Amino acid sequence: MAYDILVNGEDVSTMEVQYAPATTKKYVADRCESLGVEVPDDYEAITSDEE
């Protein structure tokens, strides 16, 4: 959608809303721990090779 708007000049007010088909919610475990953030169960920790 962003490409169509920015490159092709599509009118955002006439475009159908689209959603990503599937997403994985991820978080950085050590940062959340150091900040005291409680992460919901449906989130997946990012491994060090993904950072």
Side-chain angles (χ1 to χ4, degrees):
M1 289 177 69
Y3 181 85
D4 287 335
I5 295 165
L6 298 172
V7 176
N8 298 327
E10 290 283 331
D11 181 1
V12 70
S13 66
T14 62
M15 296 177 74
E16 181 180 335
V17 176
Q18 298 177 10
Y19 299 94
T23 59
T24 302
K25 302 173 200 169
K26 295 188 175 191
Y27 68 98
V28 180
D30 60 340
R31 291 184 192 162
C32 289
E33 184 178 327
S34 68
L35 295 170
V37 174
E38 186 174 329
V39 180
D41 293 335
D42 61 339
Y43 280 63
E44 183 180 304
I46 296 173
T47 59
S48 59
D49 60 323
E50 292 179 299
E51 289 186 53

